[in-house]
Amino acid sequence: MSQNLTTIAFDADDTLWHNERFFKLTQDRFADLLRDYVDGHHLAEHLLAAEKRNLGHYGFGIKGFTLSMIETAIDVTDGRVPASVISELIAAGREMLEHTIELLPHAREAVEAVAGTHRVLLVTKGDLLDQERKLAQSGLGDLFDAVEVVSDKTPQVYTRIFDRHGTGAAHALMAGNSLRSDVNPVIAAGGWGVHVPHDLTWGYEVDDAPEDASRFRKVKNLGELPALVQEIG
Amino acid sequence: MSQNLTTIAFDADDTLWHNERFFKLTQDRFADLLRDYVDGHHLAEHLLAAEKRNLGHYGFGIKGFTLSMIETAIDVTDGRVPASVISELIAAGREMLEHTIELLPHAREAVEAVAGTHRVLLVTKGDLLDQERKLAQSGLGDLFDAVEVVSDKTPQVYTRIFDRHGTGAAHALMAGNSLRSDVNPVIAAGGWGVHVPHDLTWGYEVDDAPEDASRFRKVKNLGELPALVQEIG
């Protein structure tokens, strides 16, 4: 079987554009709103626990995050949180949905460079409408041959995507900031996983580097990706 | 151009399985929880207004509906709603996400019948994870050649879907309970639109029948669809 790459996939949030910083800003505001009830450190723990507990119900995205904030606010205050604070949390979630996209350094040039030579995909989790809006606003939409918004990133999901839009996972490379979602499951599916670290990464997405490192690579930023793609061949 | 149908698409909620009844049940519970503050009739109006106002932010689905209920509860009580009621609304939304799928009469036999002769698609709005769960639980998943969860159902969206998975909209038929989302935009895209009325249809989805009726059909239930597909040819 040829080792040649035909298909390059990119994660979106915190790989092509900033995202986690808006969650972080909102969490800071959340802590401010509830500082009379609970200290900030435990609050962050409570919120992450609620997010993880609710993933199976809500999936990934801002609407589920907003509902988890409301639930946590009620829990940590034993129901004493005023409705005005709940309103603020709803407003904070909505502001996240409206925030302006800021591309990360080298994002556009990396996608453009590999789009000239390979089939290029975007593979992202989150709320469908929100991800479509961000892609449209990013100005990168026309560079992608296909876009897949998925409810989770598992080896099975990557196998299906690379079979549908490419020539199978063995000829595909995925670049993203999350070892857990972007790198390890692609390698498990038989593809190449390239880690592009981001200084803010959600607790859920933290994972170890894969044990089988033959198809694992790490780059400092997306500026290094086109050369890596050429090198793999 | 041949008139031959190659592709049959189905809406999911309230076409293949019950859905609106769970929203209705939740709205009744919502009215019960807030009956001390506002009468039920106005409450339904307030809630529908919030849902419509929030569609651009939240899209279609249960998570956005839950956030709209919470927002409405705060609004109509001028912020006096207790946190215990908000918790109940979050729980009600979660129960909707967990409800058991009940297929509508003739759903399985209709999909099976046309799957033997045509390419069969599912096209649905809503939350990605929720729709995936319902499809898996319905037991119909293997009958479909492709499934598209979309953020809105416009002529452009149908054109893209039928180009990707079929042989263009001119050779495609879409069956669903919503004139606004399932029938009229497909006809505008050049395809056939078949209305399958459901006794509960959300206010947002109500629309007039299309002016150009040459590719518009109405059936009493999905049991009549296979014969109609044969008749169109």
Side-chain angles (χ1 to χ4, degrees):
Chain A
M1 185 174 57
S2 159
Q3 293 285 308
N4 284 353
L5 284 178
T6 61
T7 310
I8 310 297
F10 291 86
D11 170 54
D13 292 339
D14 295 318
T15 297
L16 296 179
W17 50 67
H18 285 289
N19 184 65
E20 190 63 23
R21 68 156 67 160
F22 299 101
F23 281 86
K24 186 76 178 56
L25 276 176
T26 305
Q27 279 178 277
D28 292 346
R29 192 161 153 195
F30 184 58
D32 279 345
L33 285 166
L34 295 175
R35 72 165 68 256
D36 293 342
Y37 301 93
V38 63
D39 78 69
H41 181 67
H42 284 106
L43 192 61
E45 274 173 26
H46 279 292
L47 180 58
L48 182 60
E51 287 179 79
K52 288 186 177 176
R53 192 169 63 233
N54 291 334
L55 270 184
H57 303 291
Y58 297 146
F60 299 86
I62 293 169
K63 290 180 289 184
F65 175 70
T66 307
L67 287 165
S68 291
M69 282 198 296
I70 295 171
E71 183 181 312
T72 304
I74 295 173
D75 281 354
V76 299
T77 63
D78 292 320
R80 287 174 295 135
V81 59
S84 59
V85 168
I86 310 271
S87 285
E88 291 243 29
L89 297 177
I90 292 177
R94 203 127 68 197
E95 277 167 37
M96 290 179 72
L97 288 168
E98 288 165 356
H99 78 77
T100 303
I101 282 297
E102 294 167 44
L103 291 183
L104 279 156
H106 311 289
R108 168 174 285 279
E109 68 211 58
V111 180
E112 280 177 345
V114 298
T117 50
H118 292 73
R119 187 171 286 261
V120 181
L121 313 180
L122 186 75
V123 183
T124 176
K125 288 182 307 198
D127 294 325
L128 192 54
L129 181 66
D130 181 47
Q131 293 294 359
E132 288 178 356
R133 183 192 65 80
K134 288 193 284 193
L135 179 62
Q137 204 194 101
S138 75
L140 302 181
D142 292 337
L143 295 171
F144 292 100
D145 295 294
V147 174
E148 289 272 355
V149 182
V150 296
S151 62
D152 204 2
K153 288 176 164 175
T154 63
Q156 293 73 28
V157 165
Y158 282 113
T159 297
R160 180 176 58 72
I161 289 173
F162 292 128
D163 283 347
R164 179 191 291 183
H165 299 293
T167 55
H171 306 279
L173 177 153
M174 171 84 184
N177 71 302
S178 166
L179 286 167
R180 175 173 184 152
S181 294
D182 303 320
V183 175
N184 291 344
V186 174
I187 292 172
W192 295 81
V194 177
H195 189 210
V196 191
H198 184 269
D199 57 348
L200 290 174
T201 294
W202 180 33
Y204 176 83
E205 301 290 3
V206 173
D207 202 354
D208 294 326
E211 288 190 15
D212 171 10
S214 65
R215 290 195 157 207
F216 171 65
R217 297 290 185 278
K218 186 170 178 170
V219 293
K220 269 210 313 283
N221 58 55
L222 281 179
E224 298 179 2
L225 188 75
L228 176 63
V229 167
Q230 294 309 318
E231 182 197 316
I232 294 174
Chain B
M1 186 173 58
S2 160
Q3 293 285 308
N4 284 352
L5 284 178
T6 62
T7 310
I8 311 297
F10 291 86
D11 170 54
D13 291 342
D14 295 317
T15 297
L16 295 178
W17 51 67
H18 285 289
N19 184 63
E20 189 62 22
R21 69 157 64 161
F22 298 100
F23 280 86
K24 186 74 179 57
L25 276 176
T26 304
Q27 278 178 278
D28 292 346
R29 190 162 156 195
F30 183 56
D32 279 346
L33 286 167
L34 295 176
R35 70 166 69 257
D36 293 341
Y37 301 94
V38 63
D39 78 68
H41 181 66
H42 285 107
L43 191 60
E45 274 173 26
H46 279 292
L47 180 57
L48 182 60
E51 286 179 79
K52 288 185 178 177
R53 191 169 63 234
N54 290 335
L55 271 183
H57 303 292
Y58 297 146
F60 299 86
I62 292 169
K63 289 179 289 183
F65 175 70
T66 307
L67 288 165
S68 290
M69 282 198 296
I70 296 171
E71 184 181 312
T72 303
I74 295 172
D75 281 354
V76 299
T77 63
D78 292 320
R80 286 174 297 136
V81 60
S84 58
V85 168
I86 310 269
S87 285
E88 292 244 26
L89 296 177
I90 292 177
R94 203 127 69 196
E95 278 168 35
M96 290 180 72
L97 288 168
E98 287 165 357
H99 79 76
T100 303
I101 282 296
E102 295 168 43
L103 290 183
L104 279 156
H106 311 289
R108 169 176 285 280
E109 68 211 58
V111 180
E112 280 177 345
V114 298
T117 51
H118 293 73
R119 186 172 287 261
V120 181
L121 313 180
L122 186 76
V123 184
T124 177
K125 289 181 306 198
D127 293 326
L128 192 54
L129 182 65
D130 181 46
Q131 294 294 358
E132 289 177 355
R133 182 192 66 80
K134 288 193 283 193
L135 179 62
Q137 206 195 97
S138 74
L140 303 181
D142 291 337
L143 295 171
F144 292 99
D145 295 293
V147 174
E148 288 273 355
V149 182
V150 296
S151 63
D152 204 359
K153 288 174 163 176
T154 62
Q156 293 72 29
V157 165
Y158 283 113
T159 298
R160 180 177 59 71
I161 288 173
F162 293 128
D163 282 348
R164 180 191 290 184
H165 298 295
T167 55
H171 306 280
L173 178 154
M174 171 83 185
N177 71 303
S178 166
L179 286 167
R180 177 173 183 152
S181 294
D182 303 320
V183 175
N184 291 343
V186 174
I187 292 173
W192 294 80
V194 177
H195 189 209
V196 191
H198 184 269
D199 57 346
L200 290 174
T201 294
W202 180 35
Y204 176 83
E205 300 289 4
V206 173
D207 202 355
D208 294 325
E211 289 191 13
D212 172 11
S214 65
R215 290 194 157 209
F216 171 64
R217 295 292 184 277
K218 186 170 176 169
V219 294
K220 271 209 312 284
N221 58 56
L222 281 179
E224 299 180 1
L225 188 75
L228 176 63
V229 167
Q230 294 309 316
E231 183 197 316
I232 294 174

